[in-house]
Amino acid sequence: MENMKANLILDAKGLACPMPIVKTKKAMNELEAGHVLEVQATDKGSKADIKAWAESCGHQYLGTLEEGNVLKHYLRKSASDEKIERKHPNVMNNEELESRLESNEKIVVLDVRETAEYAFNHIPNAISIPLGELDNRLDELKKEEDIFVVCRTGNRSDLAAQKLIEKGFTNVVNVVPGMSKWSGKTTSFLK
């Protein structure tokens, strides 16, 4: 597919979440409606992140091509009348979640970071389902449970919370700012 044409190419290689999304959002603001943006990234998590972000904003995710270790994501900018960026309304901060965990309430912590991020450092007993796998693993969660969604900064967890609500889950909370500022108990699979 060498003939894939983009109106703007964004180099996000070497950047980790949330920077590819931050730079993509900024680049999209510079594009005219209907134009195509190519985002070049090396962060494997960017595939799910950029697709979910585009869908939440009303932009069209066209697809991703892999060339070696570079992912080339293609997005089409929506017209202003078709773009609606949504945010999940039910939000809690890290301290509130830590308090709920300490009181031994029956809650589910869903970590939607990539598997490697989870392996290095996660909240004890958190369920790991990376954002890109969520649609295929919904059966691992119960729709009536209180689900607190975490990621590194609150962006992927926001997208995951929206997706869960759309799929019929009723008690979903996005935890912000997430693991980047988590001061509660953690565990790791690595020694």
Side-chain angles (χ1 to χ4, degrees), residues 27-133:
M28 277 299 221
N29 290 336
E30 298 171 15
L31 277 180
E32 292 181 36
H35 282 193
V36 174
L37 173 66
E38 175 184 307
V39 181
Q40 298 177 355
T42 50
D43 178 8
K44 297 297 179 198
S46 69
K47 186 170 183 176
D49 297 347
I50 287 178
K51 181 177 191 273
W53 174 83
E55 290 170 355
S56 78
C57 295
H59 299 301
Q60 184 180 2
Y61 171 78
L62 302 174
T64 299
L65 300 176
E66 291 188 42
E67 291 183 6
N69 67 340
V70 176
L71 298 168
K72 291 184 176 182
H73 310 288
Y74 294 90
L75 308 168
R76 182 193 151 274
K77 183 173 180 171
S78 66
S80 58
D81 59 345
E82 53 182 296
K83 183 172 94 173
I84 303 167
E85 185 167 5
R86 301 173 317 184
K87 290 276 187 198
H88 183 67
N90 201 354
V91 178
M92 171 185 286
N93 67 36
N94 287 3
E95 292 75 23
E96 290 172 296
L97 176 59
E98 190 174 351
S99 174
R100 300 280 296 266
L101 289 168
E102 287 172 359
S103 69
N104 289 321
E105 291 183 45
K106 186 171 175 16
I107 61 174
V108 173
V109 177
L110 174 63
D111 192 322
V112 296
R113 296 175 300 155
E114 293 302 306
T115 307
E117 293 174 278
Y118 177 85
F120 279 100
N121 186 32
H122 60 272
I123 297 169
N125 301 315
I127 297 170
S128 173
I129 303 178
L131 180 62
E133 298 175 17

Side-chain angles (χ1 to χ4, degrees), residues 112-154:
V112 296
R113 296 175 300 155
E114 293 302 306
T115 307
E117 293 174 278
Y118 177 85
F120 279 100
N121 186 32
H122 60 272
I123 297 169
N125 301 315
I127 297 170
S128 173
I129 303 178
L131 180 62
E133 298 175 17
L134 190 57
D135 280 331
N136 297 326
R137 296 178 59 191
L138 289 172
D139 60 342
E140 295 176 34
L141 303 167
K142 293 185 177 80
K143 291 188 176 185
E144 66 283 350
E145 289 183 313
D146 290 336
I147 300 174
F148 295 84
V149 190
V150 297
C151 70
R152 194 173 82 75
T153 61

